[in-house]
Structure formats: structure tokens, C-alpha cells
Amino acid sequence: MKITRLTLWQLDLPLTEPYYLSGGRLRFDRLDSTCLRIDTDEGLCGWGEGCPWGHTYLPAHGPGIRAGIATLAPALIGLDPRSVDHVNRVMDVQLPGHPYVKSAVDIACWDILGQAANMPLWQLLGGESATPVAVNSSISTGTPEQMIALINRAAERGYTVHSAKVGGTDIVADIARIEGISAALPTGHRVTFDVNRAWQPATAVEVLNSVTARDWVEQPCETLDQCAHVAARVKNPILLDECMVTMADHLEAWRRSACEGVKVKPNRVGGLTKARQIRDFGVSVGWQMHIEDVGGSALADTAAIHLAAATPDANRLASWLCHYHLSADPVPGQGARNVNGFATPPDTPGLGVIPNPDHLGDPFAIFE
Ligand code: MG
């Protein structure tokens, strides 16, 4: 089987409400997503999506995905998409780094592999069944009262796990957010305080040694070095996210006891192939993981939910669904959706999400 064509669509995905990270440090109201279809000489086609969470969140931006795939396309034509590791090696030779460019290509290849094997992705990725995965809310930063109101609204939709955004220069405000939210959580609910790297190490140590809450704290500072420094000086379990890109980053975090868990996001690390390697490492060392994508429609969310569903319960905290924040849905009714706080991956072969090209508009580019 050979790749014969790559078709790209640019999708403008508006958020239902503007999103604020880290005390308003980052604000955006739409996502620039790239949808990809890979066609083969045997009639099978696979779908993938790559979507940064705005262009201020990671060193990744929407137009960069399309430019990168244009660079890779000549080397991808003619490859067997079922050989996912080989496809990744070719991409890494042709375009070192730039993992976020490669995720849509990798997901589309996994979709074709699953269809060729007549197996859903959760099974190809090692899972025993289409396990429902707990989904978590994402609570934009604000006053403690505003944030508690958002958590209560999420609880009404079935969420029992929450990611609350904190972090800024006002230490007193962050202490009030953490203590207020932790104390007001509905019974049985859990929260992670996601700092999105906004604190200096001294701020992180001061805030976390002032609060009595012992909930998870995510990405307190910019770098792995800084986060490891903080982890050695606080009692809260630490989850790492933005600073974790390569397998080497994960090995280093483990060696330095910098965290008790990580976020595994296909678009950040380069696709499902590399996310699976990190997931397997995380299981082997006993980390707890959120497996979800950086952003995108239900298509990107569903690829990540397949991997989450194939991950042991003991190593899985929850998964966020980006499409819940969007006012546009390019794959209506399809894929993993929140049903009372859980999302279940499709049981059909491959990814199980098939966009209707008529709903995607004119292609951005076709390579053949
Ligand atoms: Mg995060």
C-alpha cells in the first residue's frame, strides 16, 4: 500500500468564550486547525488533525503545520502508511524537530493502519475494550468565586475532574484561588491547579508552602529545571505539560523526580506513535497521565481518547476534550463525546471519525 495524495484543509475554530491562561497572560478566541486526508493506492484513506492551542501557548502555530506538511509531502508520497514507525523516521530525517507538524500525518497513518487491520485504534494501541475515559473540565482563570461557579456549571454536565487555571504575579490571589476552590469542590471531585508556567520558582515555592490544599499542581514554571527545583521543595504532586516534548525530556524528568505525572498530547510530542512511546514509559515508571490533545475538533480529541482508553486505569487521571470549547463542529455527532463525564472511543476500524469534505470548504492544498 502506498500514499498517493495528501489533502489539507484549514479550519477556523472559534471558541464559545475567549480563553484566559495564567492571570490573563494569554488570551485567544479562535483556533487555527489543519485537517489532513491521506489517500492510498488501495482505496483506503485516513484522517488526521493538527491544532495548536492558539499561537501563544507552545512553540507551534497553525500556518506552520501546513507549511511543514508541504515540506514533508514529497517524501511521504509512496510510503506505506501502515508502517507508522518508518513514516515517523522519514519525517524526522526530512524535517528534524517541529513535532507539532507531524501529528496530523501520523494520526492519519494510524487511521489507515486500523482500517487495514480491521481494528479500532484503542485495540491497536494495546487496549482491551473501548473503555469510557473520565473527562475533565478546563476552568479559565478568574476570582475564586467565578472559578467555583464554572466548576459547579461543569459538575452539572457530569464532570468530576477539573483543571483550574491559576498563576500570576499576585501571590495572595493565587493562594486564595487554590484554597477557595479546593475547599469548595463538590464531594468526590478532584482538581488540578494548572499554572501554565506562569510562576518563578520562588513564587511557586512560596505559594505551595503557604496553602494547605494538596491537590495536583501542573507546570508551575517555564522549564524542566525550574519545575524540578520546585518539586523538591513542595508537598503537592506535580504534573508536567508544556516543557515535555521529547522522550529525553521524559527520561530527564524521571531521573530528577521532577513530577508524579505528565500530560501526553499527540500534537505536542509529534503524533500517536510518539505519544504511545511516552505512555508506555509512563506506565513502566508508574506515572499518572492525562492523555488528550493540545487542541482541535472532535477528530483530534478522538485520536487521543483512543490512546487514553488503551492505558491502564491506574496510570490515567482524566482527559480534556477541546471540542467542548468550540462553537464550530466540523464532524458533527462523530467521535468521542462527553456523556455524563466520560468519553468512549469509537468501536469501528481505525480512528472512527470521517469528516465530510463538503463541510470542510475548499482544500488549502493538495499534494500528489
Ligand atoms: Mg496544562
Side-chain angles (χ1 to χ4, degrees), residues 54-348:
H55 61 268
T56 52
Y57 174 60
L58 287 173
H61 68 131
I65 293 179
R66 297 183 288 279
I69 292 175
T71 300
L72 290 169
L76 294 169
I77 304 284
L79 296 184
D80 188 330
R82 298 169 299 180
S83 302
V84 289
D85 289 296
H86 179 65
V87 170
N88 273 270
R89 284 193 288 273
V90 169
M91 289 198 288
D92 286 343
V93 167
Q94 295 296 322
L95 186 68
H98 301 276
Y100 72 103
V101 164
K102 300 163 184 169
S103 184
V105 175
D106 181 67
I107 291 169
C109 289
W110 275 93
D111 187 15
I112 292 168
L113 174 61
Q115 293 173 59
N118 199 31
M119 293 163 76
L121 289 194
W122 56 259
Q123 192 169 27
L124 278 181
L125 293 164
E128 189 264 334
S129 62
T131 308
V133 174
V135 295
N136 65 269
S137 71
S138 186
I139 305 297
S140 189
T141 198
T143 66
E145 294 72 25
Q146 288 167 334
M147 296 176 76
I148 291 165
L150 288 173
I151 286 174
N152 289 333
R153 213 203 300 172
E156 289 167 10
R157 298 205 305 264
Y159 292 99
T160 60
V161 186
H162 310 279
S163 172
K165 305 298 180 182
V166 300
T169 53
D170 187 341
I171 291 175
V172 173
D174 273 337
I175 292 171
R177 288 185 186 107
I178 292 171
E179 296 289 50
I181 291 169
S182 191
L185 271 188
T187 305
H189 286 223
R190 289 179 296 153
V191 64
T192 294
F193 293 102
D194 191 357
V195 188
N196 288 115
R197 63 194 193 267
W199 286 335
Q200 296 299 312
T203 314
V205 170
E206 184 174 353
V207 171
L208 296 178
N209 285 327
S210 298
V211 297
T212 56
R214 288 288 173 261
D215 308 283
W216 285 84
V217 172
E218 183 174 333
Q219 192 72 40
C221 305
E222 185 81 32
T223 67
L224 178 53
D225 280 340
Q226 293 170 334
C227 291
H229 177 95
V230 171
R233 289 164 176 79
V234 303
K235 291 198 169 71
N236 301 70
I238 301 290
L239 198 69
L240 292 181
D241 186 356
E242 291 100 306
C243 71
M244 307 293 275
V245 180
T246 64
M247 178 56 89
D249 295 332
H250 293 77
L251 292 171
E252 182 69 6
W254 168 248
R255 275 193 210 105
R256 299 176 64 174
S257 302
C259 62
E260 282 71 40
V262 294
K263 289 215 160 166
V264 183
K265 297 182 176 178
N267 191 257
R268 193 187 64 231
V269 303
L272 281 175
T273 300
K274 288 177 177 166
R276 178 189 55 165
Q277 293 167 355
I278 291 163
R279 184 277 310 263
D280 289 344
F281 176 73
V283 170
S284 70
V285 300
W287 275 344
Q288 290 186 275
M289 295 173 273
H290 277 250
I291 301 177
E292 60 200 38
D293 216 341
V294 175
S297 74
L299 196 161
D301 286 340
T302 299
I305 292 295
H306 276 292
L307 183 61
T311 300
D313 201 36
N315 300 102
R316 182 158 44 76
L317 286 168
S319 298
W320 170 69
L321 298 174
C322 178
H323 73 261
Y324 240 73
H325 294 261
L326 305 175
S327 60
D329 187 351
V331 287
Q334 297 192 62
R337 307 273 169 165
N338 174 29
V339 179
N340 294 323
F342 290 87
T344 305
D347 225 358
T348 49

